[in-house]
């Protein structure tokens, strides 16, 4: 049971057998339905924000070390009721349809140490659009407004969570599966292994030791020359996401 009181903004409907841990995800939204859900979900998220006030985002993985936008204020923060886990399939940024990678998601239970990023009200529309395109290309995440605790006091921030019944949820894999993914998966933003290393290093810089990431890091390939020599895939995610795309 998640202890954090939250506003659930989106809950996709899937059949009872739609989730198989370890299976590759498929998109359940046809293009027209996806556009409708995208617009409705954007409006619901923005309805939870008071115009004219600052907009806060909870960062727990790549948003810490590569947010893609300027934030005038960043605070270490703890979120209760969710934990970070490398259990979300990635078929574009850190993988491909042939070799899906993994990225972090917020899953129910426990707590998570990360950062809150402040987005000023002025110019928010452009920054929010870029953030949305990056995090929500296939509506895999469930965006929620959650209370995050900082040394300066609590702030209400937008957090991108993942439901365990989502087709994008990878579950727990066998060590050999992780090794294969870390050795082969790469997308338009780089390799899955590099994503894991950067996330681990950025958290360590904040004084956070994520035990799960440490264990997985031991399974990564050390042949960085191979990563550097490999070609990244063209990233067409933000122009025309296909039903096979994921984050």
């Amino acid at each position: 049971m998640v202890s954090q009181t939250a506003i659930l903004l989106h809950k996709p409907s899937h059949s009872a057998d739609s989730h198989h841990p370890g299976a590759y995800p498929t998109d359940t939204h046809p293009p027209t339905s996806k556009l409708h859900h995208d617009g409705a979900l954007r409006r619901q998220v923005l309805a939870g924000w008071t115009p004219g006030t600052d907009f806060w985002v909870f960062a727990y993985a790549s948003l810490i070390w590569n947010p893609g936008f300027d934030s005038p204020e960043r605070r270490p923060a703890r979120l209760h009721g969710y934990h970070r886990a490398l259990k979300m399939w990635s078929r574009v940024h850190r993988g491909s349809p042939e070799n899906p990678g993994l990225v972090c998601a917020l899953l129910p239970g426990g707590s998570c140490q990360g950062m809150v990023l402040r987005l000023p009200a002025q110019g928010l529309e452009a920054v929010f659009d870029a953030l949305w395109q990056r995090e929500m290309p296939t509506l895999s995440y469930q965006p929620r407004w959650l209370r995050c605790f900082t040394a300066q006091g609590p702030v209400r921030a937008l957090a991108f969570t993942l439901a365990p019944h989502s087709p994008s949820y990878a579950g727990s894999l066998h060590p050999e599966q992780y090794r294969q993914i870390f050795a082969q998966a790469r997308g338009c933003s780089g390799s899955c292994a590099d994503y894991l290393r950067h996330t681990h290093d950025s958290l360590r810089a904040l004084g956070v030791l994520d035990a799960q990431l440490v264990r997985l890091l031991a399974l990564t390939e050390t042949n960085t020359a191979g990563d550097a020599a490999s070609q990244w895939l063209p990233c067409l995610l933000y122009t025309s996401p296909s039903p096979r795309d994921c984050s």
Side-chain angles (χ1 to χ4, degrees):
M1 178 73 67
V2 176
S3 60
Q4 173 72 48
T5 301
I7 300 175
L8 176 59
L9 299 175
H10 177 58
K11 184 176 182 180
S13 175
H14 300 297
S15 63
D17 62 352
S18 62
H19 163 55
H20 302 279
Y24 294 161
T26 56
D27 195 318
T28 58
H29 299 291
T32 303
S33 174
K34 182 181 294 184
L35 290 174
H36 173 76
H37 281 290
D38 181 84
L41 196 51
R42 279 178 182 243
R43 290 190 293 271
Q44 289 178 23
V45 168
L46 291 175
W49 166 67
T50 302
T53 64
D54 291 333
F55 190 109
W56 292 88
V57 178
F58 181 69
Y60 54 89
S62 62
L63 281 176
I64 296 176
W65 50 269
N66 184 30
F69 53 82
D70 293 327
S71 175
E73 185 177 1
R74 298 160 56 93
R75 301 180 189 173
R78 179 171 290 277
L79 172 65
H80 294 283
Y82 293 87
H83 66 280
R84 173 179 37 246
L86 192 81
K87 294 186 177 182
M88 181 173 176
W89 291 115
S90 175
R91 306 181 80 101
V92 172
H93 282 294
R94 298 291 170 172
S96 67
E98 296 77 19
N99 291 303
L102 293 168
V103 293
C104 288
L106 283 178
L107 297 173
S111 64
C112 181
Q113 184 73 33
M115 302 280 292
V116 284
L117 313 180
R118 180 170 65 86
L119 310 182
Q122 184 176 5
L124 176 67
E125 183 176 353
V127 177
F128 178 77
D129 283 346
L131 174 68
W132 190 266
Q133 289 174 352
R134 165 187 170 137
E135 301 295 325
M136 295 291 290
T138 56
L139 311 183
S140 295
Y141 283 119
Q142 293 181 337
R144 299 171 182 254
W145 288 103
L146 300 173
R147 196 180 192 200
C148 302
F149 295 89
T150 77
Q152 296 86 350
V155 298
R156 188 167 174 267
L158 182 66
F160 293 94
T161 73
L162 184 69
H165 63 259
S166 169
S168 294
Y169 175 65
S172 296
L173 307 179
H174 189 277
E176 286 306 316
Q177 289 178 282
Y178 285 117
R179 289 190 180 95
Q180 182 179 4
I181 290 169
F182 297 147
Q184 298 179 2
R186 52 184 49 84
C188 63
S189 295
S191 72
C192 177
D194 280 347
Y195 170 92
L196 175 58
R197 294 186 191 104
H198 285 309
T199 300
H200 169 268
D201 292 347
S202 68
L203 291 171
R204 291 296 290 139
L206 295 175
V208 178
L209 181 63
D210 189 307
Q212 183 221 21
L213 298 189
V214 172
R215 288 193 297 269
L216 293 175
L217 196 59
L219 301 176
T220 60
E221 293 289 339
T222 57
N223 185 10
T224 55
D227 281 348
S230 63
Q231 260 193 327
W232 292 357
L233 301 175
C235 194
L236 305 178
L237 176 63
Y238 301 147
T239 54
S240 57
S242 74
R244 299 291 292 174
D245 287 342
C246 191
S247 64

